């Protein structure tokens, strides 16, 4: 396996590291998207460890910085942010395909990276190129089941009530404070998107952690949020209750990497796949 740095893209504005295995059929490549503003190594070098494991299995990979993140610059194009991301991913697919012979690709994204991967996967231009996506802590919605599981144990906890009252008193004393945030896609839209992806033949892996316990708190919530699409054989779900959102612990990162390696070899086997290191 060799790793090679590239400056690429329609304006040569993108920077990434391609992992190119010595063996393997090269038909499916894996592309990792930035998690928030963290550059291409990923939180706690997750992307580095993951790509090297996948390279050992025979999968070509590319971890790169999207426009204006990390070492990548801007194109000067007049586009929305979503259009820029889709164009950047197209450039990444072209680069990895050129150097590894990949014909189709799997996207991997954590948190906002999962949202970006979702938005790319729902766009028409990527239909023929995408084979699948791995969404780590993607969209989540506070369902009825979530509220029952979250609030019922707290109703009879006196200390929690005291902390809640004290916090409300502080908020009242502080007055109105502006709140900034990005609204997620509506739940029914995400349901339709996932159904459309599966209908187009994509393989999906949804992995959620206890790090987003304020939005997601049980494996049953996959079905509560997204409906019967999660029962499709093309969709895998996993809830890691004890795991932090950014996989801060080495053991948690290793378990995730093992899971992704197993998922890929199950859905996209390589004729000359390597052994797990």
């Amino acid at each position: 396996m060799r790793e090679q740095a590239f400056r690429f893209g329609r304006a040569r504005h993108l920077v990434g590291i391609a992992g190119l295995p010595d063996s393997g059929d090269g038909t499916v490549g894996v592309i990792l998207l930035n998690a928030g503003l963290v550059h291409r190594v990923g939180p706690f070098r997750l992307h580095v460890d993951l790509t090297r494991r996948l390279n050992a299995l025979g999968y070509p990979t590319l971890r790169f910085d999207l426009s204006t993140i990390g070492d990548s610059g801007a194109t000067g194009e007049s586009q929305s942010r979503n259009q820029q991301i889709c164009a950047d991913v197209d450039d990444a697919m072209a680069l990895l395909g050129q150097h590894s012979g990949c014909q189709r690709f799997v996207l991997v994204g954590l948190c906002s990276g999962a949202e970006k991967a979702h938005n790319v996967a729902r766009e028409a231009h990527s239909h023929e190129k995408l084979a699948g996506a791995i969404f780590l802590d993607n969209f989540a919605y506070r369902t009825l089941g979530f509220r029952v599981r979250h609030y019922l144990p707290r109703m009879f906890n006196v200390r929690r009530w005291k902390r809640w009252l004290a916090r409300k008193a502080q908020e009242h004393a502080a007055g109105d404070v502006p709140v900034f945030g990005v609204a997620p896609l509506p739940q029914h839209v995400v349901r339709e998107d996932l159904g459309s992806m599966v209908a187009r033949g994509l393989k999906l892996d949804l992995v959620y952690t206890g790090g987003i316990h304020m939005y997601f708190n049980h494996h049953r919530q996959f079905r509560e949020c997204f409906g019967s699409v999660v029962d499709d054989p093309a969709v895998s779900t996993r809830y890691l209750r004890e795991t932090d959102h950014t996989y801060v612990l080495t053991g948690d990162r290793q378990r995730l990497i093992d899971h992704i390696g197993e998922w890929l070899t199950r859905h996209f086997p390589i004729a000359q796949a390597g052994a797990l290191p």
Side-chain angles (χ1 to χ4, degrees):
M1 186 273 291
R2 62 186 173 90
E3 291 184 325
Q4 185 172 348
F6 288 95
R7 181 176 293 280
F8 65 99
R10 56 210 180 277
R12 291 187 56 78
H13 62 299
L14 301 174
V15 174
I17 305 293
L20 304 171
D22 297 325
S23 61
D25 57 20
T27 56
V28 175
V30 181
I31 296 176
L32 284 75
L33 306 184
N34 295 102
L37 297 178
V38 180
H39 75 300
R40 61 187 174 274
V41 301
F44 304 101
R45 292 178 62 82
L46 171 63
H47 293 181
V48 177
D49 294 340
L50 175 57
T51 52
R52 289 176 178 172
R53 167 64 72 88
L54 298 183
N55 295 155
L57 290 171
Y59 296 96
T61 62
L62 178 66
R63 54 184 190 269
F64 79 106
D65 292 324
L66 293 160
S67 296
T68 70
I69 298 177
D71 293 319
S72 292
T75 63
E77 298 169 330
S78 179
Q79 293 179 313
S80 69
R81 184 56 178 165
N82 191 56
Q83 289 172 331
Q84 289 176 353
I85 291 169
C86 289
D88 287 350
V89 171
D90 278 346
D91 289 341
M93 290 177 178
L95 175 79
L96 192 55
Q98 176 186 350
H99 290 274
S100 70
C102 294
Q103 301 172 13
R104 302 188 72 198
F105 303 88
V106 171
L107 299 181
V108 181
L110 167 64
C111 192
S112 65
E115 180 181 349
K116 294 172 185 130
H118 181 104
N119 286 330
V120 171
R122 71 197 297 255
E123 295 294 333
H125 69 87
S126 63
H127 286 189
E128 295 182 358
K129 299 177 183 178
L130 275 186
I134 299 172
F135 300 132
L136 309 176
D137 283 348
N138 196 18
F139 297 110
Y141 305 91
R142 293 172 174 167
T143 62
L144 175 61
F146 166 87
R147 297 179 190 279
V148 170
R149 292 184 293 269
H150 182 79
Y151 291 111
L152 190 60
R154 292 163 169 76
M155 289 182 61
F156 305 104
N157 189 316
V158 176
R159 284 184 296 179
R160 286 184 180 274
W161 279 106
K162 288 181 178 179
R163 289 199 298 268
W164 183 83
L165 290 171
R167 186 170 65 251
K168 289 299 179 182
Q170 291 176 352
E171 292 173 358
H172 179 74
D176 293 332
V177 178
V179 176
F180 301 92
V182 178
L185 290 173
Q187 184 176 356
H188 74 276
V189 172
V190 173
R191 280 193 178 200
E192 293 171 1
D193 286 347
L194 295 178
S196 174
M197 293 175 198
V198 170
R200 288 172 6 228
L202 271 67
K203 308 295 184 183
L204 304 179
D205 189 24
L206 283 58
V207 182
Y208 285 29
T209 69
I212 57 168
H213 65 276
M214 294 303 294
Y215 301 93
F216 196 96
N217 60 13
H218 198 278
H219 191 274
R220 285 197 297 267
Q221 201 169 337
F222 285 114
R223 202 177 200 286
E224 295 169 3
C225 285
F226 308 123
S228 60
V229 69
V230 301
D231 299 326
D232 192 285
V235 181
S236 303
T237 59
R238 189 170 189 182
Y239 177 52
L240 306 174
R241 181 177 180 180
E242 304 301 326
T243 300
D244 178 77
H245 176 58
T246 55
Y247 295 87
V248 61
L249 298 180
T250 302
D252 289 338
R253 290 198 300 279
Q254 191 62 50
R255 280 185 284 274
L256 174 68
I257 291 169
D258 290 343
H259 167 75
I260 291 176
E262 292 165 359
W263 182 85
L264 278 168
T265 55
R266 183 169 70 251
H267 290 288
F268 307 104
I270 290 180
Q272 299 176 355
L276 286 172

